[in-house]
Amino acid sequence: DARVTQTPRHKVTEMGQEVTMRCQPILGHNTVFWYRQTMMQGLELLAYFRNRAPLDDSGMPKDRFSAEMPDATLATLKIQPSEPRDSAVYFCASGPLDLQGEKLFFGSGTQLSVL
Amino acid sequence: GQQLNQSPQSMFIQEGEDVSMNCTSSSIFNTWLWYKQEPGEGPVLLIALYKAGELTSNGRLTAQFGITRKDSFLNISASIPSDVGIYFCAGQLPSGTYKYIFGTGTRLKVLA
């Protein structure tokens, strides 16, 4: 089965360090989403790309977060500098944009702990 | 901002029982998706709904897109222990935004 692949699965870092999370969307999908999941806030949309172009990153703290798609097989989410409040599970999802609408297929997530 | 009210928050049921959960909102949605999430994993897509009134099944799961386009329902028939997990609804805002708003989840536990 085709899957969205995220690395690393777990990341523990110290406050102030840079964190980079990577995502390989399903081959042929042209939409990519980054979500953050916490107990308090649930699933929050951070960024959305279509055909590698960023269409919406209004949910992302701009001063420290950045999201890019260097090519169709790689999406990255960076946090610099990281803070303890960034601790969460970060999910990447990809989807095919077809006539009926979009379906989102999620990766297994990166569990981030910032100490 | 838009919110999705998902209920119940949690359910403890006996194996073999049927389960119903729903999502409601004050906003209209174009698409509804239902997901299941297990510990340490990402949400897995169960059912997608695209039209008001649409009723779609996937095995023992049945979901409906509410007529008002402001709600959706998921039913699980004859529950089994592997149904345990957190079920999320997600509503897609009207075309042009391509944002999905997720519900807060229904945590399901099945007692054998």
Side-chain angles (χ1 to χ4, degrees):
Chain A
D1 289 340
R3 302 186 170 200
V4 175
T5 303
Q6 287 187 250
T7 56
R9 288 295 309 273
H10 303 275
K11 176 72 176 179
V12 180
T13 191
E14 292 185 343
M15 182 174 63
Q17 296 297 305
E18 177 177 302
V19 175
T20 298
M21 290 169 271
R22 293 177 173 80
C23 167
Q24 181 177 0
I26 293 173
L27 187 65
H29 284 186
N30 60 347
T31 60
V32 172
F33 299 76
W34 283 101
Y35 281 87
R36 175 169 63 185
Q37 187 176 39
T38 61
M39 288 293 292
M40 295 299 295
Q41 300 296 328
L43 279 159
E44 302 173 277
L45 178 65
L46 297 176
Y48 164 66
F49 291 78
R50 184 194 292 174
N51 295 324
R52 295 176 55 201
L55 292 191
D56 189 339
D57 61 2
S58 59
M60 206 162 62
K62 302 290 192 306
D63 56 338
R64 299 183 300 108
F65 284 58
S66 62
E68 296 180 345
M69 278 201 75
D71 60 60
T73 64
L74 177 64
T76 62
L77 180 66
K78 290 187 181 180
I79 308 174
Q80 169 62 23
S82 58
E83 298 180 1
R85 60 179 167 153
D86 300 330
S87 298
V89 182
Y90 291 80
F91 287 106
C92 174
S94 72
L97 179 58
D98 56 32
L99 292 177
Q100 282 192 307
E102 293 176 351
K103 301 176 185 178
L104 303 185
F105 296 87
F106 283 80
S108 296
T110 293
Q111 181 154 9
L112 174 64
S113 296
V114 183
L115 307 177
Chain B
Q2 293 89 354
Q3 288 187 330
L4 277 181
N5 301 309
Q6 188 168 349
S7 64
Q9 284 189 330
S10 62
M11 301 180 74
F12 290 79
I13 61 170
Q14 289 290 134
E15 182 178 1
E17 289 184 352
D18 297 344
V19 174
S20 291
M21 60 191 78
N22 67 80
C23 279
T24 60
S25 175
S26 58
S27 301
I28 289 175
F29 293 98
N30 278 2
T31 301
W32 287 95
L33 304 179
W34 282 93
Y35 288 87
K36 177 187 178 186
Q37 186 177 22
E38 298 184 25
E41 296 296 330
V44 175
L45 182 63
L46 299 173
I47 292 178
L49 303 161
Y50 301 107
K51 297 179 184 177
E54 180 180 353
L55 188 70
T56 298
S57 293
N58 178 5
R60 294 179 295 104
L61 279 61
T62 302
Q64 184 163 24
F65 194 141
I67 290 290
T68 64
R69 295 173 62 192
K70 295 181 180 181
D71 55 13
S72 181
F73 307 86
L74 176 69
N75 295 318
I76 305 173
S77 62
S79 59
I80 58 178
S82 62
D83 290 334
V84 165
I86 305 177
Y87 291 80
F88 291 98
C89 63
Q92 185 187 39
L93 294 170
S95 67
T97 61
Y98 298 102
K99 284 185 182 182
Y100 275 97
I101 307 297
F102 278 79
T104 50
T106 294
R107 189 179 298 270
L108 177 65
K109 295 200 173 180
V110 180
L111 305 174

